[in-house]
Amino acid sequence: MSNMTKPTLQQSHGPAYTRIYAVGAARGENAVPNADLVGPIDSSDEWIQQRTGIVTRTRAGADVSALDLATESAREAIEKSGVAPELIDLVIVATISNVQQTPSMSAVVADRVGANPAAAYDTNAACAGYAYAVAQADALIRTGVAHYALVIGAEKLSDVVDPTDRSISFLLGDGAGAVVIGPSEFPGIARTVWGSDGSKAGAVGMNGTLTEFRDGAAEWPTLRQEGQTVFRWAVWDMAKVAKQALDAAGVSAADLAAFIPHQANMRIIDEFAKQLKLPESVVIARDIATTGNTSAASIPLATHRLLDEHPELSGGLALQIGFGAGLVFGAQVVVLP
Ligand SMILES: CC(C)(COP(=O)(O)OP(=O)(O)OC[C@H]1O[C@@H](n2cnc3c(N)ncnc32)[C@H](O)[C@@H]1OP(=O)(O)O)[C@@H](O)C(=O)NCCC(=O)NCCS
């Protein structure tokens, strides 16, 4: 390279800001009441309602996959966004319940919705997966690597529940929520506060590996949790993360129109509201009562319902926070579409 000039690599630059254009949703078609689940776990409708706020959860039939739910929610989000699907050049699916390790759900969804040949990948950050994917889409658009992104949280958790497990199975539901993200005239997605604590990996996750299952050393792997450990972590550490996300956005609780936490447990949601000192004017997402905990899908599903029930929230600020297996967490303030 002695007397040759070293070429300077070109770098891309995108728009200064991004925002969420529209939300789509698909819930499992069956409403499963507590009464249907209590037998094998020696529980009761009353206990589940008091301890979790869940009355029924949505679950999909045997012929509907997480991929189908993802596709349905994506189609709605794209249609509402007004963005032509062929302009979408990034598709991220956040999920922990794809039944195949490869190919990804995202590449297939991209093709199904008319976004082929968009860059497409799945991301596994459990119940924080949607917040992680929103952070990625925002950053990739602002650096000019992508122009329009489809972000989906999609889960069929009923595939990974053990009906005899009383630690988590009764919490879980099936569904998918999708958003289209693109350039904006104003900041529509504030800086994400995210992170992990792998020292608590054992607090929630699968109870076995696929190779153990293959070798007959374990049952079909299903979700388990140390409920109290996760509960305490959520109410103490995650309330702090939620406050950091407000600081990162340069806003206060009183500026919010809505609070959309991961739908893990109604008592956790209530505790967050108390610790964040949310004024009465802030509408709190409580989709868990009839949808259950749908992991990566829970925040976009709750957002979809909130906008259906309170269309006046459109354009307002929402604080969203996801947290779960890893442990991992992600939170950001967004402008509601
Ligand atoms: C799972 C969870 C609902 C359990 O509620 P909890 O109030 O912590 O319950 P505990 O484990 O303290 O148990 C309290 C009592 O209920 C009983 N119990 C536990 N699970 C039960 C169930 N499914 N049905 C009925 N009783 C149950 C316990 O045996 C205990 O009985 P005891 O007081 O006679 O000893 C709660 O811990 C939780 O929601 N955790 C966090 C969930 C979460 O955010 N997960 C994130 C991953 S997505």
Side-chain angles (χ1 to χ4, degrees), residues 13-22 89-90 133-149 151 179-192 317 320 332-337:
H13 304 281
Y17 310 120
T18 70
R19 64 182 170 87
I20 296 171
Y21 287 28
D89 52 3
L90 173 65
V134 166
Q136 293 169 48
D138 166 59
L140 291 169
I141 292 169
R142 283 191 293 110
T143 49
V145 178
H147 298 88
Y148 292 93
V151 166
V179 293
V180 173
I181 295 176
S184 174
E185 304 279 291
F186 53 85
I189 298 174
R191 181 167 69 79
T192 300
L317 297 180
Q320 54 189 31
Q332 67 258 114
V333 176
V334 301
V335 174
L336 289 169

Side-chain angles (χ1 to χ4, degrees), residues 41-44 47-48 51-52 127 165-168 170-172 204 225-234 262 264-265 267-268 293 295 323-325:
I41 56 173
D42 183 23
S43 190
S44 66
W47 189 94
I48 296 176
R51 296 287 175 139
T52 72
C127 310
D165 159 63
R166 65 193 327 234
S167 78
I168 193 166
F170 58 97
L171 298 174
L172 305 174
V204 49
Q225 73 171 342
E226 292 168 17
Q228 288 194 13
T229 308
V230 181
F231 193 97
R232 275 196 293 268
W233 172 73
H262 169 47
N265 183 319
R267 285 156 54 216
I268 295 177
N293 176 348
S295 193
F323 51 88

Side-chain angles (χ1 to χ4, degrees), residues 27-83:
R27 289 179 174 79
E29 71 273 28
N30 304 316
V32 180
N34 294 334
D36 285 12
L37 306 179
V38 295
I41 56 173
D42 183 23
S43 190
S44 66
D45 176 41
E46 194 192 3
W47 189 94
I48 296 176
Q49 288 206 36
Q50 270 180 10
R51 296 287 175 139
T52 72
I54 299 174
V55 182
T56 57
R57 71 284 293 134
T58 57
R59 289 193 175 168
D63 54 336
V64 175
S65 66
L67 182 58
D68 297 329
L69 295 167
T71 308
E72 190 186 332
S73 68
R75 287 198 173 118
E76 184 192 344
I78 294 170
E79 197 192 312
K80 282 188 177 163
S81 75
V83 174

Side-chain angles (χ1 to χ4, degrees), residues 96 124-128 132 195-206 230 233 323-329:
I96 55 165
N124 178 339
C127 310
Y132 267 52
S196 70
D197 180 2
S199 74
K200 295 194 181 70
V204 49
M206 308 302 284
V230 181
W233 172 73
F323 51 88
L327 299 173
V328 292
F329 56 87

Side-chain angles (χ1 to χ4, degrees), residues 187-248:
I189 298 174
R191 181 167 69 79
T192 300
V193 175
W194 57 352
S196 70
D197 180 2
S199 74
K200 295 194 181 70
V204 49
M206 308 302 284
N207 66 342
T209 67
L210 289 174
T211 46
E212 285 164 350
F213 176 60
R214 177 199 60 197
D215 298 339
E219 300 282 301
W220 169 247
T222 52
L223 282 163
R224 290 291 189 282
Q225 73 171 342
E226 292 168 17
Q228 288 194 13
T229 308
V230 181
F231 193 97
R232 275 196 293 268
W233 172 73
V235 295
W236 291 114
D237 297 22
M238 292 306 102
K240 287 179 206 142
V241 168
K243 283 179 197 153
Q244 287 165 15
L246 289 176
D247 290 344

